[in-house]
Amino acid sequence: IVMARLTRACPISPRQRGFIRASGCSENLWLLQLVVKHAKREHCELGVVFVDIAKAFDTICHQHIITGLVQRGVDPHVIHLVSEMYRNISTYIN
C-alpha cells in the first residue's frame, strides 16, 4: 500500500527493478543478451556501462527524504510511516 501511494507521488524509471513487482534482474539480463546478440550479428561495436547506486539512501540525510515527500504532496500518513521507519534505527550483526 505504501509503495503504491509513493509511486503515484514519486514516479520511478521504467528500468527500476528494486522494490517493485517485476521479474527484475532476469528482464534486465534478457535485454542485455538481446543487445549483445544484435551487436554480434550486425558486427557493431558495443559499449556497456553498469551503474550501481547501491546504498544510495545511506548517503542522503533522512530528513531530505521526508522533505522531498512533503514537497511532492505525499499523504501525511504515508510520510509519517516513512519517518517512523527511519527513527532510532540500528543494525546488529551476530
Side-chain angles (χ1 to χ4, degrees):
I1 293 171
V2 172
M3 187 207 60
R5 291 182 182 178
L6 285 173
T7 301
R8 279 195 302 270
C10 307
I12 58 175
S13 166
R15 299 306 315 155
Q16 168 70 30
R17 290 293 165 241
F19 310 107
I20 63 168
R21 290 183 197 159
S23 56
C25 193
S26 63
E27 184 178 329
N28 285 346
L29 288 173
W30 173 81
L31 182 60
L32 178 61
Q33 285 177 326
L34 189 66
V35 170
V36 170
K37 284 180 183 178
H38 173 77
K40 284 182 178 180
R41 185 175 54 246
E42 299 296 322
H43 303 288
C44 299
E45 290 187 14
L46 174 66
V48 178
V49 176
F50 294 93
V51 179
D52 182 4
I53 55 171
K55 299 179 74 71
F57 287 105
D58 288 354
T59 61
I60 298 173
C61 172
H62 295 159
Q63 187 55 47
H64 290 324
I65 296 170
I66 302 306
T67 301
L69 295 175
V70 171
Q71 290 174 346
R72 289 291 205 146
V74 174
D75 181 90
H77 180 69
V78 174
I79 294 172
H80 175 74
L81 291 174
V82 173
S83 297
E84 288 298 306
M85 288 191 295
Y86 286 121
R87 186 172 20 166
N88 299 322
I89 58 173
S90 59
T91 302
Y92 297 95
I93 299 173
N94 289 329

